Amino acid sequence: MLENIFNLEMLIISVGLYLIGSIPFAIISAKLFNLPDPRSFGSKNPGATNVLRSGNKYAAFLTLVGDGLKGLIPVLFLMETTIPVYQIYLLSFFLLVGHTFPVTLNFKGGKGVATSIGILLSLNPIVAALLIITWLLTYYIFKVSGLSALIGFLLLPLFMFIASAEIYMTAISFINMLFIFMTHKKNIVSL
């Protein structure tokens, strides 16, 4: 397994995934709709929720879709290879690292929720659906996006355990959960 992860092909894939993750859809959306830079208002986070604070739902939707697709499409391509699914899940973290620490934005990016959901949609649509439903129900009750993400990802390992036969996938989902909690440190403190 280690020789597979550290060979040249995996290095190229990892760098490619990081660069895809670094595409700043919040900034692109803001420019397309002539909005202020999302890093200049609200939470100063280049993500869909903060773009929504500009009052432009279309720009926020474009950001959400873009961030989700940059998780979904590369992982779907990897699913067509001979790389085991659990290794693809591990490789997908380069997308999240790119999104959260993008070279394009001086390593200050988004929180990785939409990109994680895109990744999960391609790996296991049932898990992604359970997470999205949890997010929507929590948001309906509390009207707080950050809290909804935290509760959804807190339950991610349970969802993965229910929907997946591989213990590796459940174990890796714990890392995914911790990653999202790490990016939501300020939200946790404010809650």
Side-chain angles (χ1 to χ4, degrees), residues 8 50 57 76 78 86 88 92 97-99 101 107 113 124 136 142 144 148 161 163-164 167 170-172 178:
L8 182 60
N50 204 41
K57 293 178 182 178
L76 280 178
L78 289 174
Y86 72 91
I88 293 172
S92 75
V97 171
H99 178 78
F101 306 104
F107 307 102
V113 172
N124 192 319
L136 289 170
F142 297 104
V144 180
S148 303
F161 178 76
S164 174
I167 190 69
T170 303
I172 297 165
L178 291 173

Side-chain angles (χ1 to χ4, degrees), residues 140-186:
Y140 179 77
I141 295 166
F142 297 104
K143 304 288 189 271
V144 180
S145 179
L147 178 64
S148 303
L150 289 169
I151 290 174
F153 279 90
L154 180 66
L155 296 173
L156 174 60
L158 175 64
F159 297 154
M160 192 64 79
F161 178 76
I162 291 167
S164 174
E166 284 195 32
I167 190 69
Y168 292 127
M169 296 296 283
T170 303
I172 297 165
S173 72
F174 272 101
I175 301 168
N176 199 163
M177 177 195 76
L178 291 173
F179 188 95
I180 295 299
F181 270 67
M182 178 200 75
T183 63
H184 283 76
K185 282 186 291 190
K186 288 182 182 176

Side-chain angles (χ1 to χ4, degrees), residues 34-49:
N34 293 316
L35 300 172
D37 188 320
R39 296 168 296 173
S40 68
F41 62 86
S43 67
K44 302 189 184 326
N45 178 52
T49 302

Side-chain angles (χ1 to χ4, degrees), residues 60-80:
F61 181 73
L62 182 61
T63 303
L64 180 68
V65 170
D67 286 346
L69 287 177
K70 74 182 178 185
L72 177 77
I73 293 171
V75 175
L76 280 178
F77 274 108
L78 289 174
M79 294 289 280
E80 296 300 316

Side-chain angles (χ1 to χ4, degrees), residues 110-132:
K111 296 181 179 177
V113 172
T115 303
S116 282
I117 290 172
I119 291 166
L120 292 166
L121 270 170
S122 55
L123 291 172
N124 192 319
I126 295 170
V127 171
L130 290 169
L131 199 151
I132 291 167

